[in-house]
Amino acid sequence: MGNENNPKTTIIRASSLPHYTDCTRRAAAKMFFKELAQYGFKINKLQISIGAAVGTATHKSLETALLLIKDGCDYIQPMRETAAESIEQSIAYGVIWDDTTRKKDDAINQAVRMAHAVLGAISFLTAVKIEEEYTADFGDNFIISGHIDIRSEGEIWDLKTGTVHRANQAQYGCYSLLCRSNGIGINKIGEIYIKRVGIIKPQPEPIIVEYSVKEAELIAYQIIQKIKSDLQKFRQNGDIWAWLPNPNSMMCTPDYCPAWGTDFCKSHKKINFNNLNKEI
């Protein structure tokens, strides 16, 4: 079953880096599911969470607004139309709702007001470029890829949404490395976090966090090396223990891990089925 001479190009996305160290087995199931299928492993298909859907809609609404502002055009209604279209697309085939977002209209309104809040928080940025894609060759048919939310005069800023503020500096360090690989100097990286809250609650102001460029690049580089090494090890003999599972992860559930309960991972924590309303 060895495949160490696989000539296929493997793409490692910057956005996958923060999650890799939480559970490498879950990350592999998300990143390399097509290749795992070639080894006979069937990975579960997950429904999108409403939090992710609102996050995507917020990003798209903000992008619409920034482009229209740059052209001197009105952006209020187009922002809402963009959010509505994005939510519709995200939930078309089912979604996991939660207590913070219970219905479609709430999701649209949350995305719009979150995008508005971010607009007010980034007024200090100039010469903004948005949604740029960069790639770099990492050797042995591995390519690093990343979409940068906002770049401005040697600075990188990424928008994060959700009910919990997490650490994503590995992703931003990867962006910085990609920029430097493409001849662009970066001296500041930061995150704009906007919390998703229930629609009847006031929208909190964004939290702006800066990270050390050097430290973030070091974290990113080491995780990329680890991803590459783990996949190369798996390709040698198809052994799933190239990736260590983490059953203590908060994401170790059938809703959030595509490997949960499959032949690719039996290491998950046990579920009390008596407390579930559906069979898994």
Side-chain angles (χ1 to χ4, degrees):
M1 196 178 287
N3 201 20
E4 63 271 23
N5 295 318
N6 191 339
K8 184 188 69 166
T9 298
T10 300
I11 298 175
I12 299 175
R13 303 192 185 282
S15 58
S16 68
L17 268 59
H19 308 287
Y20 197 78
T21 53
D22 182 51
C23 179
T24 62
R25 186 79 59 85
R26 183 181 73 247
K30 290 184 175 183
M31 297 168 66
F32 307 125
F33 63 93
K34 290 183 179 179
E35 185 162 346
L36 293 175
Q38 297 174 6
Y39 286 83
F41 295 109
K42 185 178 180 180
I43 303 302
N44 294 328
K45 186 175 181 179
L46 302 181
Q47 282 192 327
I48 188 173
S49 71
I50 192 58
V54 172
T56 298
T58 304
H59 273 81
K60 290 182 177 180
S61 295
L62 180 65
E63 179 182 1
T64 293
L66 289 173
L67 289 172
L68 289 173
I69 290 171
K70 184 178 180 181
D71 292 337
C73 301
D74 178 67
Y75 61 89
I76 302 298
Q77 186 59 28
M79 279 181 70
R80 175 165 290 277
E81 293 171 353
T82 297
E85 181 180 359
S86 178
I87 292 295
E88 289 279 5
Q89 292 176 348
S90 292
I91 70 175
Y93 300 102
V95 68
I96 301 173
W97 300 96
D98 60 28
D99 291 339
T100 304
T101 310
R102 297 176 178 272
K103 58 184 180 180
K104 182 177 71 174
D105 287 346
D106 288 352
I108 295 169
N109 289 330
Q110 286 170 330
V112 171
R113 72 177 189 173
M114 289 163 71
H116 271 296
V118 174
L119 276 177
I122 63 173
S123 58
F124 63 92
L125 297 179
T126 59
V128 168
K129 299 182 183 298
I130 59 174
E131 293 297 332
E132 293 180 315
E133 181 180 11
Y134 293 98
T135 61
D137 189 341
F138 204 69
D140 302 316
N141 292 311
F142 281 81
I143 299 295
I144 311 303
S145 174
H147 278 87
I148 299 175
D149 286 349
I150 301 171
R151 184 170 66 83
S152 172
E153 300 295 335
E155 302 179 10
I156 291 173
W157 293 91
D158 194 79
L159 172 63
K160 289 294 184 219
T161 66
T163 57
V164 179
H165 191 185
R166 305 184 187 279
N168 299 291
Q169 58 264 49
Q171 179 179 348
Y172 314 145
C174 186
Y175 288 158
S176 180
L177 291 172
L178 285 169
C179 283
R180 292 207 288 114
S181 296
N182 285 274
I184 300 171
I186 298 298
N187 52 49
K188 181 184 290 186
I189 57 175
E191 176 182 276
I192 305 160
Y193 168 72
I194 183 75
K195 187 173 184 177
R196 177 173 61 97
V197 298
I199 201 65
I200 64 172
K201 297 180 180 179
Q203 176 61 56
E205 291 297 313
I207 297 172
I208 298 178
V209 180
E210 293 184 22
Y211 289 100
S212 161
V213 175
K214 179 180 179 180
E215 188 72 14
E217 287 184 348
L218 288 171
I219 295 172
Y221 183 80
Q222 293 301 324
I223 295 176
I224 294 168
Q225 288 278 41
K226 176 67 173 169
I227 294 172
K228 178 180 177 180
S229 174
D230 290 348
L231 182 57
Q232 288 175 325
K233 183 178 179 180
F234 171 77
R235 285 172 174 171
Q236 292 175 4
N237 54 21
D239 185 0
I240 63 174
W241 288 99
W243 294 291
L244 187 66
N246 177 20
N248 273 325
S249 169
M250 293 294 291
M251 305 295 283
C252 186
T253 74
D255 282 340
Y256 294 104
C257 178
W260 198 98
T262 70
D263 289 339
F264 187 60
C265 188
K266 300 289 188 181
S267 301
H268 53 77
K269 57 190 175 186
K270 303 305 178 184
I271 297 291
N272 181 357
F273 286 90
N274 293 327
N275 292 335
L276 297 181
N277 294 321
K278 62 179 181 178
E279 292 186 358
I280 298 173

